[in-house]
Amino acid sequence: MAKQSMIKGASKPIPEPVLRRLPVYYQYLRKLNLESPREYISCAKIAEDLNNLAIQVRKDMEFTGAQGRPKVGYRVTELLKAIEIFLGWDNTTEAYLVGAGNLGFALLGYQGFKDYGLNIIAAFDSSADKIGREVYGKKILPVKKLPDMIRRTGIKIGILTAPASCAQELADAMLGAGIKAIWNFAPVKISVPAGIIVQHENLASSLAVLSKRLALLLAER
Amino acid sequence: MAKQSMIKGASKPIPEPVLRRLPVYYQYLRKLNLESPREYISCAKIAEDLNNLAIQVRKDMEFTGAQGRPKVGYRVTELLKAIEIFLGWDNTTEAYLVGAGNLGFALLGYQGFKDYGLNIIAAFDSSADKIGREVYGKKILPVKKLPDMIRRTGIKIGILTAPASCAQELADAMLGAGIKAIWNFAPVKISVPAGIIVQHENLASSLAVLSKRLALLLAER
DNA sequence: TAGATTGTTAATCGATTAACAATC
DNA sequence: TAGATTGTTAATCGATTAACAATC
């Protein structure tokens, strides 16, 4: 099966690169709103501050359906709203986190998620000295209760921050109980049936880009 | 300034997508070597297991300079070596980590980095109850010693896991002391002069892809 | 030998960028 | 009005995929 770099199914398919840039604009505009608020903004200004091209910003914004006014630009609040709605960040999606290690704790404590419509309801772990604790206001529950909780709450997103060695097993448990999307931070590829979404965060891929760039930079002279 | 999706400066410029896939092959081949070792492997087999196309695997491998034998395939050890050398993972690069919170701890404890030639030498933090502790064998030092340590050791990579509020300030301190590449996990864009490499891990971008895919999936029926 | 698989050149596809008309 | 900026159509560029020759 071929991979899909294009997100299909929508009226207009959205290129993944666009989808990855929209949050960057969103973060930028929110920060701008706090630090030096203004009613309107042009693509040229956004592009300049974010170090890319105005035409790309304009094209990207087109996907969200946001409309600007010639000579004036886009109303900042409208732009923010358009991105929010487009990404589905205007209403909250609930998720469970599985694996309450350091990374799990970091994600539980990340305040940004609520801006992106993601609410981690609870965490699950198998270790007795973690179960029962409360971290950043979120309960750590025994992992054997996970399937039951997923069924009862109908939660669709699982955030997997367990060690590689038990990632597949935990993924299977989640999927069996009705999870539809797994955000996988475990450093291992997990196999899932068709129709299930896996978003794999691979540190090694990022590191490869970083180390190659650095090697080229240092080799320049 | 336009952005560069292509890594320039090498004899043959390497597309970033290729660079991101190479570690996936690497992880796959290493796991294969442990679980069901074999001397040779074909691109078709790799592609099947990783869910992509044989021609893409072959093209990607071409960049590493690895050579296969028609009808036989590639020698697994050679493939691993070729990727290692190509990414510069065959000799160790040292790095400092700045910000010893939960995420910092998670990265300090991540065993995988040594396979990728990255060695985090020490961590820095400003909080008194962290300074002096040792985590996964790595000392936590006072952040005010950071510039001096960078100068003395000549370390070129800084891993930034501090809160957004002090990310820019810490980045400036690192760059002033000679850091050439920053792996930025802080949820904020940092500004750097030309010639400095910043690799920004943006959770919001990944979440956007995940949430849009899930929304489309759930809307299908 | 026949067939599988690599290596390499060509074709396609999609994303980015450019050009320009519309409009405030 | 003139000029800046959007909206939209066209051109370019690069990455992916296909085709096929080379070879073990």
Side-chain angles (χ1 to χ4, degrees), chain B residues 175-221:
Chain B
L175 297 175
I179 285 282
K180 294 293 177 212
I182 294 179
W183 199 0
N184 179 29
F185 290 83
V188 67
K189 182 187 176 284
I190 55 175
S191 305
V192 299
I196 298 295
I197 292 150
V198 179
Q199 178 77 18
H200 185 185
E201 299 299 318
N202 195 345
L203 282 186
S205 291
S206 299
L207 182 59
V209 177
L210 181 75
S211 46
K212 196 71 192 174
R213 279 192 179 144
L214 183 60
L216 293 176
L217 179 77
L218 297 178
E220 255 174 27
R221 179 166 352 155

Coordinates of all heavy atoms in Angstrom, one line a residue, chain B residues 175-221:
Chain B
L175 N 24.3 30.5 22.0 CA 24.9 31.0 20.7 C 26.1 31.9 21.0 O 27.2 31.8 20.3 CB 23.9 31.7 19.9 CG 22.7 30.8 19.4 CD1 21.7 31.6 18.7 CD2 23.2 29.6 18.6
G176 N 26.0 32.7 22.0 CA 27.1 33.6 22.3 C 28.4 32.9 22.7 O 29.5 33.3 22.5
A177 N 28.2 31.7 23.2 CA 29.3 30.9 23.7 C 29.9 29.9 22.6 O 30.8 29.2 22.9 CB 29.0 30.1 25.0
G178 N 29.2 29.9 21.5 CA 29.7 29.1 20.4 C 28.9 27.9 19.9 O 29.3 27.1 19.0
I179 N 27.7 27.7 20.5 CA 26.8 26.6 20.0 C 26.4 26.9 18.5 O 26.2 28.1 18.2 CB 25.6 26.5 20.9 CG1 25.9 25.9 22.2 CG2 24.4 25.8 20.2 CD1 26.1 24.4 22.2
K180 N 26.4 25.9 17.7 CA 26.1 26.1 16.3 C 24.7 25.5 15.9 O 24.2 25.8 14.8 CB 27.2 25.4 15.4 CG 28.6 26.0 15.5 CD 28.6 27.4 14.9 CE 30.0 28.0 15.1 NZ 29.8 29.5 15.3
A181 N 24.2 24.6 16.7 CA 22.9 24.0 16.4 C 22.1 23.8 17.7 O 22.6 23.4 18.7 CB 23.1 22.6 15.8
I182 N 20.8 24.2 17.6 CA 19.9 24.1 18.7 C 18.8 23.2 18.4 O 18.1 23.4 17.3 CB 19.4 25.5 19.1 CG1 20.5 26.3 19.7 CG2 18.3 25.3 20.2 CD1 20.1 27.7 20.1
W183 N 18.6 22.2 19.2 CA 17.4 21.3 19.0 C 16.4 21.8 20.0 O 16.5 21.6 21.2 CB 17.8 19.9 19.4 CG 16.9 18.8 18.8 CD1 15.8 19.0 18.1 CD2 17.0 17.4 19.0 NE1 15.2 17.8 17.8 CE2 15.9 16.8 18.3 CE3 18.0 16.6 19.6 CZ2 15.8 15.4 18.2 CZ3 17.8 15.2 19.5 CH2 16.7 14.6 18.8
N184 N 15.4 22.5 19.5 CA 14.5 23.3 20.3 C 13.1 22.5 20.6 O 12.3 22.4 19.7 CB 14.2 24.6 19.6 CG 13.2 25.5 20.4 OD1 13.1 25.4 21.6 ND2 12.4 26.3 19.7
F185 N 13.0 22.2 21.8 CA 11.7 21.5 22.3 C 10.8 22.5 23.0 O 9.7 22.1 23.4 CB 12.0 20.3 23.2 CG 12.7 19.2 22.5 CD1 14.0 19.1 22.3 CD2 11.9 18.1 22.1 CE1 14.6 18.0 21.6 CE2 12.4 17.0 21.4 CZ 13.8 17.0 21.2
A186 N 11.3 23.7 23.2 CA 10.4 24.7 23.8 C 9.3 25.1 22.8 O 9.6 25.3 21.7 CB 11.3 25.9 24.2
P187 N 8.1 25.3 23.3 CA 7.0 25.6 22.4 C 7.0 27.0 22.0 O 6.0 27.7 22.2 CB 5.8 25.2 23.2 CG 6.2 25.3 24.6 CD 7.7 25.1 24.7
V188 N 8.1 27.5 21.4 CA 8.1 28.9 20.9 C 9.2 29.0 19.9 O 10.2 28.2 19.9 CB 8.4 29.8 22.1 CG1 9.8 29.6 22.7 CG2 8.3 31.3 21.7
K189 N 9.0 29.8 18.9 CA 10.0 30.0 17.9 C 11.1 30.8 18.4 O 10.9 31.8 19.1 CB 9.3 30.8 16.7 CG 10.3 31.0 15.5 CD 9.6 32.0 14.5 CE 10.6 32.3 13.4 NZ 11.6 33.3 13.7
I190 N 12.3 30.4 18.2 CA 13.5 31.2 18.7 C 14.2 31.8 17.5 O 14.3 31.2 16.4 CB 14.5 30.4 19.5 CG1 15.0 29.2 18.8 CG2 13.8 30.1 20.9 CD1 16.0 28.4 19.6
S191 N 14.6 33.1 17.6 CA 15.3 33.8 16.5 C 16.8 33.6 16.7 O 17.4 33.7 17.8 CB 15.0 35.3 16.6 OG 13.6 35.5 16.6
V192 N 17.4 33.2 15.6 CA 18.9 33.0 15.6 C 19.5 33.7 14.4 O 18.8 33.9 13.4 CB 19.3 31.5 15.6 CG1 18.7 30.8 16.8 CG2 18.7 30.9 14.3
P193 N 20.8 34.1 14.5 CA 21.4 34.7 13.3 C 21.6 33.6 12.2 O 21.5 32.4 12.4 CB 22.8 35.1 13.9 CG 23.0 34.3 15.1 CD 21.6 34.0 15.6
A194 N 21.9 34.1 11.0 CA 22.2 33.3 9.8 C 23.4 32.4 10.2 O 24.3 32.7 10.9 CB 22.5 34.1 8.6
G195 N 23.3 31.2 9.6 CA 24.4 30.2 9.8 C 24.3 29.4 11.1 O 25.1 28.5 11.3
I196 N 23.2 29.6 11.8 CA 22.9 28.7 13.0 C 21.8 27.8 12.6 O 20.8 28.2 11.9 CB 22.6 29.6 14.2 CG1 23.7 30.5 14.6 CG2 22.1 28.7 15.4 CD1 25.0 29.8 15.0
I197 N 21.9 26.6 13.1 CA 20.8 25.6 12.8 C 19.9 25.5 13.9 O 20.3 25.3 15.1 CB 21.5 24.2 12.5 CG1 22.3 24.3 11.2 CG2 20.4 23.1 12.4 CD1 23.4 23.4 11.1
V198 N 18.6 25.6 13.6 CA 17.6 25.3 14.6 C 16.7 24.2 14.2 O 16.1 24.3 13.1 CB 16.7 26.6 14.9 CG1 15.7 26.3 16.0 CG2 17.6 27.7 15.4
Q199 N 16.5 23.2 14.9 CA 15.6 22.2 14.6 C 14.5 22.3 15.7 O 14.7 22.0 16.8 CB 16.3 20.8 14.7 CG 15.4 19.6 14.4 CD 15.1 19.5 13.0 OE1 15.8 20.0 12.1 NE2 14.1 18.7 12.7
H200 N 13.3 22.7 15.2 CA 12.2 22.9 16.1 C 11.2 21.8 16.1 O 10.6 21.5 15.1 CB 11.5 24.3 15.8 CG 10.4 24.7 16.7 ND1 9.6 25.8 16.5 CD2 10.1 24.2 17.9 CE1 8.8 25.9 17.6 NE2 9.0 24.9 18.4
E201 N 11.0 21.2 17.3 CA 10.0 20.1 17.4 C 8.7 20.8 17.8 O 8.6 21.3 18.9 CB 10.5 19.1 18.5 CG 11.7 18.4 18.2 CD 11.7 17.6 17.0 OE1 10.7 16.9 16.7 OE2 12.7 17.6 16.2
N202 N 7.8 20.7 16.9 CA 6.5 21.4 17.2 C 5.4 20.4 17.4 O 4.8 19.9 16.4 CB 6.2 22.4 16.1 CG 5.1 23.4 16.5 OD1 4.4 23.1 17.5 ND2 5.0 24.5 15.8
L203 N 5.0 20.2 18.6 CA 3.9 19.2 18.9 C 2.6 19.6 18.3 O 1.9 18.8 17.8 CB 3.7 19.1 20.4 CG 4.7 18.2 21.2 CD1 4.3 18.1 22.6 CD2 4.8 16.8 20.6
A204 N 2.4 20.9 18.2 CA 1.2 21.4 17.6 C 1.0 21.0 16.2 O -0.1 20.7 15.7 CB 1.1 22.9 17.8
S205 N 2.1 21.0 15.4 CA 2.0 20.6 14.0 C 1.6 19.2 13.9 O 0.8 18.8 13.1 CB 3.4 20.9 13.3 OG 3.7 22.2 13.2
S206 N 2.3 18.3 14.7 CA 1.9 16.9 14.7 C 0.5 16.7 15.1 O -0.3 15.9 14.5 CB 2.8 16.1 15.6 OG 4.2 16.3 15.2
L207 N 0.1 17.4 16.1 CA -1.3 17.3 16.6 C -2.3 17.7 15.5 O -3.4 17.1 15.4 CB -1.5 18.1 17.9 CG -2.9 18.0 18.5 CD1 -3.2 16.6 18.9 CD2 -3.0 18.9 19.7
A208 N -1.9 18.7 14.7 CA -2.8 19.2 13.7 C -3.0 18.1 12.6 O -4.2 17.9 12.2 CB -2.2 20.4 13.0
V209 N -2.0 17.4 12.3 CA -2.1 16.3 11.3 C -3.0 15.2 11.9 O -3.9 14.7 11.3 CB -0.7 15.7 11.0 CG1 -0.8 14.5 10.0 CG2 0.2 16.8 10.3
L210 N -2.7 14.9 13.2 CA -3.5 13.8 13.8 C -4.9 14.2 13.9 O -5.8 13.4 13.6 CB -2.9 13.6 15.2 CG -3.6 12.5 16.1 CD1 -3.2 11.1 15.5 CD2 -3.3 12.6 17.5
S211 N -5.2 15.4 14.4 CA -6.6 15.8 14.7 C -7.4 15.9 13.3 O -8.6 15.5 13.3 CB -6.8 17.0 15.5 OG -5.9 18.1 15.2
K212 N -6.7 16.4 12.3 CA -7.4 16.5 11.0 C -7.7 15.2 10.5 O -8.8 14.9 10.0 CB -6.6 17.3 10.0 CG -7.3 17.8 8.8 CD -8.3 19.0 9.2 CE -9.2 19.3 8.0 NZ -10.2 20.3 8.4
R213 N -6.8 14.3 10.5 CA -7.0 12.9 10.0 C -8.1 12.2 10.8 O -9.0 11.6 10.2 CB -5.7 12.1 10.2 CG -4.7 12.3 9.1 CD -3.6 11.2 9.1 NE -2.7 11.5 8.1 CZ -1.3 11.3 8.2 NH1 -0.8 10.8 9.3 NH2 -0.6 11.5 7.2
L214 N -8.1 12.4 12.1 CA -9.2 11.8 12.9 C -10.5 12.4 12.6 O -11.5 11.6 12.4 CB -8.9 12.0 14.4 CG -9.8 11.3 15.4 CD1 -9.9 9.8 15.2 CD2 -9.5 11.6 16.8
A215 N -10.6 13.7 12.4 CA -11.8 14.3 12.0 C -12.4 13.8 10.7 O -13.6 13.5 10.6 CB -11.6 15.8 12.0
L216 N -11.5 13.6 9.7 CA -11.9 13.1 8.5 C -12.4 11.7 8.6 O -13.4 11.3 8.0 CB -10.8 13.2 7.4 CG -10.3 14.6 7.1 CD1 -9.1 14.6 6.1 CD2 -11.5 15.3 6.4
L217 N -11.7 10.9 9.4 CA -12.0 9.5 9.6 C -13.4 9.4 10.2 O -14.3 8.6 9.8 CB -11.0 8.8 10.5 CG -11.2 7.3 10.8 CD1 -10.9 6.5 9.7 CD2 -10.4 6.9 12.1
L218 N -13.6 10.2 11.3 CA -14.9 10.1 12.0 C -16.1 10.6 11.2 O -17.2 10.2 11.3 CB -14.8 10.8 13.3 CG -13.8 10.2 14.3 CD1 -13.7 11.1 15.6 CD2 -14.1 8.8 14.7
A219 N -15.7 11.5 10.2 CA -16.8 12.1 9.4 C -17.2 11.2 8.2 O -18.2 11.4 7.6 CB -16.3 13.5 8.9
E220 N -16.3 10.2 8.0 CA -16.6 9.4 6.8 C -17.9 8.7 6.8 O -18.5 8.4 5.8 CB -15.5 8.3 6.7 CG -14.5 8.6 5.6 CD -13.3 7.6 5.7 OE1 -13.5 6.5 6.1 OE2 -12.2 8.0 5.2
R221 N -18.4 8.4 8.0 CA -19.7 7.7 8.1 C -20.5 8.3 9.2 O -20.0 8.7 10.2 CB -19.4 6.2 8.4 CG -20.6 5.4 8.5 CD -20.0 4.0 8.4 NE -18.6 4.2 8.1 CZ -17.6 3.3 8.4 NH1 -17.9 2.2 8.9 NH2 -16.4 3.6 8.1

